[in-house]
Amino acid sequence: QVQLVESGGGLVQPGGSLILSCTGSRLTFSMYAMSWYRQAPGKERELVADITSSGGGTNYVDSVKGRFTISRDNSKNTVYLQMNSLKPEDTAVYYCNAAHLGLRLQYWGQGTQVTVSS
């Protein structure tokens, strides 16, 4: 079955940086649009950033524009989220999502915790 495995979360001080990775298996990774979502305690899951299957297009939620960068390496079946200038309000569980719009399929990773605190 399809698996998405996130890594790279952890505890970081405000102003610090982290790189999240999500590696997919048992899917044709290059045919899926990839996204990063996050969910903070007591809040709904929100879309943080997404990237087209080819990597040619990206979108970001306003709160992370200029600080986060999504990228992908289809040869490694991996999508990344570079997070800079982290703020306490970025604290959440971050989830990787793969979506094949034509087949109406989507898959989720198990999530990785990011905590921004001094």
Side-chain angles (χ1 to χ4, degrees), residues 55-78:
T58 58
N59 288 292
Y60 300 90
V61 66
D62 285 346
S63 60
V64 308
K65 284 181 180 177
R67 300 189 298 121
F68 291 11
T69 302
I70 188 171
S71 62
R72 65 190 295 162
D73 185 342
N74 286 343
S75 69
K76 297 182 178 180
N77 283 9
T78 301

Side-chain angles (χ1 to χ4, degrees), residues 8-20 38 64 66-69 81-91 94 114-118:
L11 174 64
V12 63
Q13 292 187 342
S17 298
L18 282 175
I19 301 175
L20 304 183
R38 66 185 179 186
V64 308
R67 300 189 298 121
F68 291 11
T69 302
L81 187 66
Q82 172 74 52
M83 304 186 294
N84 298 327
S85 303
L86 283 161
K87 304 176 181 180
E89 51 264 43
D90 295 317
T91 295
Y94 283 71
V114 172
T115 302
V116 185
S117 175
S118 55

Side-chain angles (χ1 to χ4, degrees), residues 25-64:
S25 58
R26 303 185 188 92
L27 79 168
T28 308
F29 188 83
S30 62
M31 296 186 69
Y32 285 76
M34 299 299 297
S35 303
W36 287 97
Y37 286 75
R38 66 185 179 186
Q39 188 167 19
K43 294 188 176 181
E44 293 186 354
R45 190 173 297 191
E46 69 167 347
L47 176 63
V48 176
D50 57 37
I51 187 167
T52 58
S53 57
S54 67
T58 58
N59 288 292
Y60 300 90
V61 66
D62 285 346
S63 60
V64 308

